[in-house]
Amino acid sequence: MTRLAMNYDAVNLAQGFPDFPAPEVIKEAARAAITADHNQYTVTWGTPDLRRAIAAKYDREYGLGVDPNSEITVCCGSTEGMIAALLATANPDDEIVIFEPFYENYGPDTWLCGARRRLVKLRAPDWSFDPDELRAAFNSRTKAIVLTSPHNPTGKVFTRAELEQIAALCREFDTLAITDEIYEHILYDGAEHIPLLTLPGMRERTILVNSMSKTFSVTGWRVGWVVAAPDLSDSIRKVHDFLTVNSPAPMQQACVLALGLDAAFYRDLAAHYLGRRDALFASLTEAGFHPFRPAGAYYIMAGIERFQFDGDQRFAVHMLEKAGVACVPGSSFFEDPRDGSRLVRFCFCKKYETLEEAGRRLLRLR
Ligand SMILES: Cc1ncc(COP(=O)(O)O)c(C=O)c1O
């Protein structure tokens, strides 16, 4: 969709990357790191400084004691963290439970391990799941459940009660949980992010994946990390070493500074996106969509029923041609494309000018 958006000179609300500058203080730290010659391979699982900064973050924010020497692996974004975690733990024919709709990468991630996906539906409008359906997805072949919270594409933030249900199943069936927490700090309307790892009995069976990409608006830097118990980290580090060796050295250095920013940075981040969420939500409603208000992350899923169009993909191309706005067709997030055929996803990690221009253009659809 990004390539098509360029062909149509469209406002790109498809791929989730910011069109505004990254924080100056972080960019300056990266420039300084290059000048200071942090330009060679680092320890494959991350510089000691960065692993200490990551451990300090989890201690400060959740009171979690994480050993920087044996429980943290720095990798090239959470994209690599997720595939490294799966390749390190899943064997062919193992089953991986995933909530659907799901972030597109989890499809290829599981295929590359030869594992099978067991999908559990999240249902609009609040994207809740049926506990019986979740239980039925677990069995003796289940290796792990992948949990994304805040969730892409729906913006759902899993509640403590929901996390407790998931944790209970992980304990009962002796399975791992791999949590993608990349939108950890992008929360609205009082929603709270609770790492699954902090729940009883989950510390030793949860692999937490996170990155700098979304929190610090640096999706191109490729710095992420995986937190897991020493035995799991040991396997993940081996896979990571052969996948990418190390995350870019100067960016790791800048990440040390980023992780030390004070609470005001995170408050501003959430406020920054709240205004944008509300602006895009209003534009979508005015243009005739049926948007679902997200509690976290920076996407809005929207129903396209009112346009009486034959399928999400054709609608997305029609919207490019008629309005010059790009979105992601909903079917990209479902195994059976029909399940997403009446949905599209917009992102709002954009300047207000970009969102206002999109809002004006979307009115052409009416
Ligand atoms: C849920 C989720 N996980 C991972 C990623 C990729 O993150 P990274 O840039 O850290 O590889 C994205 C990007 O959109 C995402 O939405």
Side-chain angles (χ1 to χ4, degrees):
M1 287 311 295
T2 292
R3 279 193 298 274
L4 271 182
M6 284 155 120
N7 292 346
Y8 283 91
D9 200 18
V11 177
N12 186 0
L13 301 188
Q15 204 177 358
F17 60 86
D19 68 348
F20 43 81
E24 194 51 42
V25 59
I26 300 173
K27 291 192 291 193
E28 183 48 43
R31 284 192 289 267
I34 291 175
T35 306
D37 248 327
H38 290 277
N39 296 315
Q40 309 306 330
Y41 299 126
T42 68
V43 174
T44 175
W45 45 83
T47 65
D49 281 355
L50 179 51
R51 281 181 282 119
R52 274 195 293 271
I54 294 167
K57 161 194 161 60
Y58 286 101
D59 185 28
R60 195 172 56 236
E61 292 174 5
Y62 305 106
L64 253 183
V66 177
D67 178 4
N69 293 321
S70 62
E71 296 189 299
I72 295 174
T73 307
V74 174
C75 50
C76 293
S78 43
T79 300
E80 193 213 335
M82 182 57 70
I83 185 72
L86 280 165
L87 284 170
T89 56
N91 294 312
D93 295 330
D94 280 348
E95 295 188 2
I96 310 290
V97 178
I98 299 176
F99 289 105
E100 185 186 47
F102 53 84
Y103 173 56
E104 308 96 296
N105 285 26
Y106 304 154
D109 284 349
T110 43
W111 297 328
L112 286 168
C113 308
R116 277 181 279 182
R117 278 180 298 167
R118 290 292 299 254
L119 299 173
V120 176
K121 287 251 180 299
L122 297 175
R123 292 193 172 79
D126 61 350
W127 306 104
S128 55
F129 60 86
D130 173 351
D132 293 334
E133 193 186 332
L134 180 63
R135 163 166 274 280
F138 278 73
N139 60 58
S140 59
R141 286 187 304 278
T142 309
K143 174 64 71 165
I145 178 168
V146 172
L147 177 74
T148 318
S149 184
H151 187 252
N152 173 13
T154 64
K156 174 184 176 65
V157 179
F158 286 71
T159 63
R160 185 175 289 279
E162 288 172 324
L163 295 174
E164 275 167 2
Q165 290 172 34
I166 295 167
L169 289 169
C170 290
R171 289 189 300 262
E172 182 182 336
F173 288 87
D174 192 19
T175 65
L176 298 170
I178 309 179
T179 61
D180 182 338
E181 308 192 10
I182 182 168
Y183 299 103
E184 172 189 19
H185 292 291
I186 305 178
L187 298 162
Y188 315 110
D189 310 327
E192 187 193 1
H193 175 68
I194 305 165
L196 190 64
L197 179 110
T198 58
L199 267 57
M202 293 308 288
R203 181 71 174 80
E204 61 279 13
R205 60 173 73 253
T206 303
I207 301 174
L208 180 160
V209 180
N210 202 337
S211 95
M212 284 191 83
S213 290
K214 311 290 177 171
T215 305
F216 301 107
S217 304
V218 287
T219 56
W221 279 19
R222 316 314 298 139
V223 184
W225 57 87
V226 179
V227 176
D231 56 333
L232 293 167
S233 288
D234 192 43
S235 303
I236 292 165
R237 285 175 171 189
K238 289 185 178 113
V239 176
H240 156 73
D241 189 7
F242 293 107
L243 284 177
T244 59
V245 183
N246 67 261
S247 168
M251 302 333 190
Q252 288 193 48
Q253 206 56 29
C255 184
V256 175
L257 176 130
L259 288 176
L261 292 176
D262 60 17
F265 173 83
Y266 298 100
R267 271 198 308 276
D268 291 352
L269 180 77
H272 167 98
Y273 281 123
L274 177 66
R276 285 163 171 79
R277 177 197 71 168
D278 291 344
L280 181 63
F281 191 92
S283 297
L284 291 173
T285 307
E286 199 184 350
F289 290 86
H290 176 208
F292 299 98
R293 196 182 300 275
Y298 49 48
Y299 306 96
I300 297 183
M301 279 287 242
I304 54 172
E305 300 85 348
R306 292 256 290 279
F307 299 102
Q308 298 186 327
F309 222 84
D310 184 17
D312 58 318
Q313 303 218 11
R314 294 176 73 173
F315 176 79
V317 173
H318 165 76
M319 192 165 76
L320 271 175
E321 287 170 354
K322 180 135 190 230
V325 176
C327 65
V328 178
S331 55
S332 323
F333 306 106
F334 292 86
E335 184 162 78
D336 181 343
R338 285 171 301 187
D339 292 342
S341 66
R342 303 180 87 69
L343 291 167
V344 292
R345 190 202 74 178
F346 294 89
C347 72
F348 54 86
C349 48
K350 304 292 171 188
K351 295 180 199 141
Y352 275 115
E353 301 96 273
T354 310
L355 295 174
E356 281 156 13
E357 178 59 23
R360 274 191 293 278
R361 290 179 178 210
L362 287 171
L363 293 177
R364 295 181 201 155
L365 293 172
R366 290 203 303 188

